[in-house]
Amino acid sequence: MKNSSASRPRRGLVLVFAGIATVLVGVNAHSLTDNAAWRVLTVAGALLQGAGWVLFVRDGRQT
């Protein structure tokens, strides 16, 4: 299947939902282990969400 303009915004949404999942894993791991190192995973998930929203908005405006 071609990379059509209708599927382009999906790339951003996939990153957003992957970021949400990463944040949830980081928060749960931090609360279960009480180890502050898991906060790095939470921050990485937040950055992933931000990148996903940027891609979603940018690709959505091009269609």
Side-chain angles (χ1 to χ4, degrees), residues 9-21:
R10 291 184 195 163
R11 294 184 304 174
L13 286 179
V14 167
L15 280 179
V16 169
F17 288 118
I20 291 170

Side-chain angles (χ1 to χ4, degrees), residues 15-51:
L15 280 179
V16 169
F17 288 118
I20 291 170
T22 306
V23 166
L24 289 176
V25 168
V27 167
N28 287 329
H30 172 66
S31 66
L32 289 174
T33 63
D34 204 25
N35 186 356
W38 288 106
R39 290 184 187 174
V40 173
L41 192 62
T42 305
V43 170
L47 291 174
L48 202 59
Q49 284 182 44

Side-chain angles (χ1 to χ4, degrees), residues 5 8-9 54-63:
S5 62
R8 291 186 71 190
V54 167
L55 277 177
F56 177 72
V57 170
R58 189 191 70 184
D59 289 344
R61 288 185 182 179
Q62 290 178 358
T63 57

